[in-house]
Amino acid sequence: MVTVSSWLHSPCPALVVDAAGAVHGMNDAAKTLLPQQVSPTRWRHGESVDIAERSYAAHRVDHADGTVTWWLLDETDLRLERERAQLLTRMSSALMTSLNPERCMTVVAELAAEHLADEAVVIAPQSDHGHPVTRCRRGEAPTYDLEHLDVEEVVGLSEALRGFPPVPSRWIDPAVAPDWLARDVVSIVVTPLPGHGVAAGALVLIRRDKQFTEDEEAFARLFASRAGVAISAASLFTQQAEITERLTRDLLPPTLRRHEHVDLAGRYRASGATERVGGDFYDVHQLPGDELFVVLGDVCGKGLDAAVQTGRVRTALHALLQVVTDHDRMLDALNQALLTTDRSRFITTVVGTVRPVDEGLHVKLTSGGHLPALIVRAGGTVEVANTRGTLVGILEKIITTTDEVVLAPGDSCLLYTDGITEAVGGPLGDEEFGEDRLRRALEACGGMPAEALVEHVHMLAARWVGSGTHDDMAVLAITAPRRRSS
């Protein structure tokens, strides 16, 4: 038998058991904790024992007389913290699986309803169409909707939704909670979702049968801090994606509409497989009457920087078109505008005016350092327009050249950038496609509609390059439609 008496007054529960498993004695802490009848025969050293809603690690000490002293070490708080840490890790992993704000709100509501409350409501800051709201009851599927809420009806909610300055959680009296939030509940806590750079919203936790404890509310704040970062990251990503999409849409060449007397088609391909914009561009604008203004150009460089300069050039040309239609004056004004911004971003460009005539189409072309247009006759003859000129945006005074051609029905005028002719590839992978090869290829394209012509040119260049790198490519075809027989 144990003879040391100091264990009797230890704050750690302990009991002495004989070889048959009968309890021979308990210290004061054990008498307070354990019921009258207790059987430690199923206890295992180091394993947890649940007693009176708490968790204890059972540790045995064997004695020479065959008795065993079982010490019960309270590990409830440690076990709870460990479980909560594991839970937060799983929650963080789940929250980071999506960069969609609606999906993030759904995950937050599901996790909160499963682990923190009977029901969870996630409310995002107000948008143009109301507050995005996700609701979830434990064991049920979450719902998402845009709702028109009076957030001032809930104490602390409007402050939480603002995101800054930071505010603490607020305990809400269920008796004064609006019906849109909750009915017939026992406890409500409004916890801010602190975002990262933007307001993420608020998390409302609802219990129907018991109150939240301060410890549970503190854990809810930890969860809310991670949820807020995930939601705000998704919101920022979505905002940036929308901005990028809008800007990209403005920088891309336009979709060409149909015209009664002119058959038009364009193709554009950025230099990188992951890029959508670059330094090549084309535009078509309607002039008074049946005339069209066309422009195709190539900004020095590629990628986003070149695309930004492309946007400036296109905007400048569109503005100049409102006050001047003479090609030489327009290109001179564009040159002066570029000289005042960035001389490292010069361009080559060709502008044209297209108008219907009895013979087909009259096309007037003026070039500022750009490759000459190719005239593809319906019979297969390919002519080179007499247009060259100097670069735009690098010299104080530019030289431009103008040529005028008439396109008979079935004839086409092809404008293109050097991404086509300088495409490197071929059988050995080190040869440029070249202007001569392009002209020879076009001899088989006489009479092609504009759409088929630009598609064929792009296909030729793509095949020549293969899987190799290439520059931006842009092609614009102006075709005189064939007349319908009466």
Side-chain angles (χ1 to χ4, degrees), residues 69-84:
T69 300
W70 284 98
W71 293 89
L72 300 178
L73 305 181
D74 193 339
E75 63 173 8
T76 306
D77 295 336
L78 178 62
R79 181 179 178 182
L80 179 61
E81 290 304 316
R82 184 166 56 245
E83 290 175 350
R84 285 179 171 178

Side-chain angles (χ1 to χ4, degrees), residues 185-420:
V185 300
V186 171
S187 187
I188 302 175
V189 176
V190 177
T191 301
L193 294 171
H196 184 70
V198 296
L203 171 64
V204 182
L205 300 175
I206 300 168
R207 284 252 177 97
R208 301 187 178 279
D209 55 357
K210 64 178 181 178
Q211 295 283 345
F212 288 101
T213 66
E214 292 187 3
D215 185 56
E216 289 172 331
E217 184 265 335
F219 178 67
R221 289 200 306 271
L222 287 176
F223 168 73
S225 66
R226 303 192 181 198
V229 170
I231 293 175
S232 65
S235 298
L236 284 172
F237 176 82
T238 299
Q239 291 175 13
Q240 293 299 322
E242 290 176 352
I243 292 171
T244 300
E245 177 61 29
R246 291 179 183 179
L247 292 177
T248 300
R249 193 162 53 240
D250 290 339
L251 292 175
L252 286 171
T255 301
L256 302 181
R257 66 182 185 88
R258 298 179 65 87
H259 295 273
E260 181 180 358
H261 303 291
V262 183
D263 183 13
L264 288 172
R267 281 289 182 277
Y268 173 77
R269 181 183 179 187
S271 59
T274 60
E275 295 176 345
R276 295 179 59 194
V277 295
D280 289 5
F281 68 95
Y282 58 80
D283 266 319
V284 177
H285 300 286
Q286 182 74 53
L287 297 176
D290 291 331
E291 287 190 336
L292 295 177
F293 176 82
V294 299
V295 57
L296 179 139
D298 183 356
V299 172
C300 171
K302 55 187 177 181
L304 184 58
D305 289 341
V308 171
Q309 183 73 335
T310 294
R312 293 173 182 164
V313 171
R314 292 175 63 191
T315 301
L317 284 171
H318 192 205
L320 289 170
L321 193 60
Q322 310 307 309
V323 294
V324 59
T325 56
D326 179 78
H327 294 180
D328 292 328
R329 291 174 56 196
M330 178 179 293
L331 291 180
D332 182 65
L334 178 62
N335 183 63
Q336 296 304 314
L338 294 179
L339 288 175
T340 60
T341 55
D342 185 358
R343 294 194 180 210
S344 66
R345 290 290 179 184
F346 58 86
I347 71 167
T348 68
T349 186
V350 56
V351 297
T353 303
V354 183
R355 60 182 175 86
V357 293
D358 292 341
E359 298 88 343
L361 293 176
H362 178 273
V363 182
K364 179 181 178 182
L365 299 170
T366 303
S367 173
H370 200 77
L371 294 169
L374 298 178
I375 312 303
V376 184
R377 299 297 182 183
T381 303
V382 178
E383 304 169 7
V384 181
N386 185 23
T387 57
R388 285 288 183 179
T390 55
L391 302 175
V392 179
I394 196 170
L395 302 173
E396 292 292 338
K397 182 65 176 178
I398 63 172
I399 298 174
T400 58
T401 56
T402 299
D403 193 11
E404 300 184 36
V405 297
V406 174
L407 302 180
D411 293 348
S412 295
C413 174
L414 185 73
L415 310 178
Y416 58 96
T417 60
D418 60 13
I420 299 294

Side-chain angles (χ1 to χ4, degrees), residues 17-32:
V17 182
D18 63 17
V23 177
H24 279 252
M26 299 184 185
N27 66 2
D28 294 339
K31 291 176 182 178
T32 303

Side-chain angles (χ1 to χ4, degrees), residues 83-102:
E83 290 175 350
R84 285 179 171 178
Q86 293 173 349
L87 178 59
L88 284 175
T89 300
R90 294 199 303 271
M91 287 177 170
S92 297
S93 299
L95 288 169
M96 294 304 175
T97 57
S98 175
L99 285 174
N100 178 283
E102 179 181 335

Side-chain angles (χ1 to χ4, degrees), residues 169-183:
S169 299
R170 300 294 293 267
W171 300 73
I172 307 301
D173 182 359
V176 298
D179 289 345
W180 60 262
L181 184 62
R183 283 184 291 184

